[in-house]
Amino acid sequence: MAFFKKLKDRLFNSSSKLEKGLDAIVDDGGEVDEKTPVIEGAQDTVVAAIPEVIPEPEPEPEPEPEPAAVMPAPEMGAPEPEVVTPEPEPEPKPVAIPSPEPAPKTGFLGRIIGRAAPKQVTRRVLDDDMLEQLEELLISSDMGVDTALRVSANMAEGRMGRKLSTEEIKDLLAAEIARIMEPVAKPLPIYPKKPQVVLVVGVNGSGKTTTIGKLASQFKASGKNVVIAAGDTFRAAAVEQLQVWGTRAGVPVLTAPEGSDPASLAFDAMAQAEEDGADLLMIDTAGRLQNRADLMEELSKIVRVIQKKDPSAPHNTLLVLDATTGQNALNQVETFQKLADVSGLVMTKLDGTAKGGVLVALADKFGLPIHAIGVGEQIDDLDAFDPEDFANALTGRTL
Ligand SMILES: Nc1nc2c(ncn2[C@@H]2O[C@H](COP(=O)(O)OP(=O)(O)OP(=O)(O)O)[C@@H](O)[C@H]2O)c(=O)[nH]1
Ligand SMILES: [Mg+2]
C-alpha cells in the first residue's frame, strides 16, 4: 500500500471529522452552483488567489517497497543542534492545482454536445459567519485556539466574499497546515559520536517502549549497532515488555532489577554500550505524570549521571506524546522541556483518533522537530513525518 494511502486510512477519524464539519459549514447557507463544473469552478474562484505553498499532488503511487519509515538523517559532524538541518527541501512549485482534466462526458446532453454535464457543487460565500464556523471546527479538531485562528485567518486572507466549495477549502487548509509543518519535519539526526545516547521520555502509556522497539528495529535495519537500556525499573513487567521488543527488533536489552535506581542502570548501560562499540544507546524511562515531582526529579538525575560519562549526552531527548490526549500534549511539552532538554517529538496513536490536529498546534507553538509518527501497534507502524502527506490525510483531501 502506498505510504500516503496508509496514512490517510489510519488518520480516518481525524479527516472524517474535519470533512463532515466542512460539508456542514458549506451546506449551511451555501448554494448549489450548477453553472460551473467542479474543476472549472475551482479554478475560477481559487487558483488566482492560491498561495504559493499549495503542494503538488503526489505523483503516481511510488513503487513498492514503502519508504523505510524513519530513515536516519545523514551523519552529522558534531552533535550541535544547528548542524542537524536536513538537506534543503526543493522549493514547492508555485501553483500545483492540476490543470483541469478533460471532464468526463457524462449524461445524455453531455454526450450530444460533447462537453461535460455540469456537476452540482455547493459553494458558500466566505463571510464572517463562515469564518467563525471554520475557526470552531479547527478548534474542535484539537488544533488549539491560537493556531486555529491563525490558520483560518490565513485561509481567508484575500478571499472574503468569494464562493468556496468544501474541496476548495480543503485545498487551502491542507496548504496552510503543510506550511506550518514543513519546518518541523526532521528525522532523528545521527551523529558520529559513539554511542549516541537517545533518552526517551513521556507520561504513562504514551508509547515510549513501543516507539523504542520500532525505532531500534529501523536503525538496526539501516545497519546501526543498537543497544536498549530498560530504564523503567519502576513498573512491574516493564522490563519484560522491553525484552519482547528487543527480541522483535533483534537488539540487546540491558536490564536492572525492579525498583533499582534507573540512573545507575543508565550509567552502567553507557559503559556497556561504549565497550560494545554500539552506535546507538536508547534509554527507556518510566512513564511520569507531570504532577509526580519525585519521578520528575528522577529524570533529572538520569541526565546528570549520563553526563558524568559523556558531557554531551544525551544527544537526543525524545518526548513521546499520545495523540489521543489532544490539547494536553501541549502541557506535556512545556513540563518536560523544563526538566530535560527535549530535542524532538514522536507522536503516537495517530491511528484511530480524531485529535490529529494537535500536531499542528504543537508545530505552531513549539517548533520542535517531529521525528516520527506512530500509526499502529506493530513494529513497522512508525513512519517518518511528511508534512504534505499529513496535511492531505488530516484534511481528507483526495488527490
Ligand atoms: N494504536 C496505537 N497504539 C500504540 C501506538 N504506540 C503505542 N501504542 C500502544 O499504547 C500502549 C502503551 O504503549 P507503551 O509503549 O507501553 O507506552 P509507555 O509510554 O512505554 O508506557 P509506560 O511505560 O507505562 O509509561 C500499548 O498498548 C501500545 O501497543 C500507536 O502508534 N498506535
Ligand atoms: Mg514503557
Side-chain angles (χ1 to χ4, degrees):
M1 199 192 304
F3 171 65
F4 171 65
K5 171 83 168 55
K6 178 170 147 190
L7 182 65
K8 188 159 184 278
D9 287 350
R10 301 275 167 104
L11 273 172
F12 177 76
N13 282 344
S14 290
S15 62
S16 71
K17 181 174 178 183
L18 267 178
E19 220 166 358
K20 281 185 197 138
L22 287 178
D23 278 340
I25 290 172
V26 173
D27 284 346
D28 175 24
E31 280 177 12
V32 174
D33 192 347
E34 291 189 63
K35 278 170 272 170
T36 45
V38 185
I39 297 167
E40 287 174 28
Q43 205 184 25
D44 288 342
T45 52
V46 177
V47 167
I50 285 278
E52 62 287 1
V53 290
I54 288 283
E56 193 166 26
E58 282 285 288
E60 277 302 291
E62 290 182 10
E64 300 294 333
E66 290 174 19
V70 190
M71 283 311 291
E75 299 239 336
M76 303 295 165
E80 293 296 326
E82 57 273 19
V83 297
V84 304
T85 318
E87 303 264 315
E89 294 285 336
E91 282 291 311
K93 298 265 168 71
V95 172
I97 292 282
S99 48
E101 298 273 319
K105 294 176 184 177
T106 48
F108 179 63
L109 194 62
R111 283 198 297 276
I112 301 260
I113 61 174
R115 282 196 286 134
K119 266 196 201 167
Q120 292 196 334
V121 181
T122 303
R123 289 200 166 78
R124 180 174 168 190
V125 175
L126 182 59
D127 56 12
D128 287 341
D129 274 355
M130 183 172 165
L131 189 57
E132 208 169 295
Q133 288 175 354
L134 280 172
E135 288 165 0
E136 277 165 23
L137 176 66
L138 297 185
I139 292 168
S140 79
S141 75
D142 270 275
M143 239 177 239
V145 177
D146 295 346
T147 308
L149 295 184
R150 193 162 24 252
V151 166
S152 318
N154 288 349
M155 283 165 64
E157 202 186 330
R159 295 185 184 89
M160 293 305 272
R162 290 182 190 227
K163 284 179 160 187
L164 295 174
S165 68
T166 301
E167 288 306 313
E168 289 157 2
I169 299 171
K170 273 193 211 169
D171 290 349
L172 294 170
L173 182 57
E176 196 52 38
I177 292 173
R179 194 183 60 76
I180 293 172
M181 308 308 281
E182 200 78 50
V184 300
K186 293 174 184 164
L188 188 78
I190 292 294
Y191 306 115
K193 176 80 190 157
K194 279 190 183 191
Q196 175 174 337
V197 182
V198 182
L199 184 66
V200 179
V201 301
V203 301
N204 299 64
S206 61
K208 297 175 292 299
T209 305
T210 308
T211 300
I212 287 180
K214 293 170 176 176
L215 278 173
S217 157
Q218 292 190 16
F219 281 120
K220 175 96 194 295
S222 70
K224 297 283 171 199
N225 183 355
V226 185
V227 173
I228 301 175
D232 182 358
T233 56
F234 180 74
R235 186 170 63 85
V239 171
E240 289 80 8
Q241 186 195 2
L242 198 58
Q243 275 167 332
V244 169
W245 276 108
T247 308
R248 280 183 200 150
V251 308
V253 178
L254 307 174
T255 63
E258 192 186 322
S260 61
D261 182 4
S264 80
L265 169 75
F267 188 84
D268 293 346
M270 290 274 297
Q272 183 74 44
E274 269 171 16
E275 204 178 303
D276 295 352
D279 299 307
L280 276 169
L281 168 63
M282 308 188 74
I283 304 179
D284 193 13
T285 60
R288 46 204 86 225
L289 295 173
Q290 296 110 297
N291 56 5
R292 284 287 304 268
D294 51 340
L295 284 176
M296 289 310 220
E297 171 50 32
E298 186 188 86
L299 186 60
S300 308
K301 187 177 169 197
I302 294 173
V303 173
R304 284 199 306 274
V305 168
I306 290 173
Q307 286 174 345
K308 285 190 178 146
K309 272 248 157 246
D310 177 355
S312 67
H315 305 98
N316 312 87
T317 301
L318 294 192
L319 175 59
V320 178
L321 299 167
D322 172 346
T324 64
T325 58
Q327 288 297 293
N328 191 257
L330 297 163
N331 303 333
Q332 291 174 23
V333 174
E334 270 170 4
T335 310
F336 277 92
Q337 268 188 324
K338 282 185 202 140
L339 278 170
D341 188 11
V342 175
S343 62
L345 307 177
V346 174
M347 176 66 79
T348 64
K349 308 185 200 178
L350 272 171
D351 52 309
T353 178
K355 300 184 172 184
V358 69
L359 212 50
V360 186
L362 285 166
D364 192 34
K365 182 155 187 205
F366 299 103
L368 281 166
I370 298 171
H371 295 314
I373 52 174
V375 290
E377 298 186 76
Q378 304 305 312
I379 199 159
D380 58 354
D381 287 334
L382 188 79
D383 288 321
F385 180 70
D386 182 298
E388 284 184 15
D389 281 354
F390 175 78
N392 289 332
L394 186 68
T395 53
R397 197 164 167 243
T398 35
L399 298 175

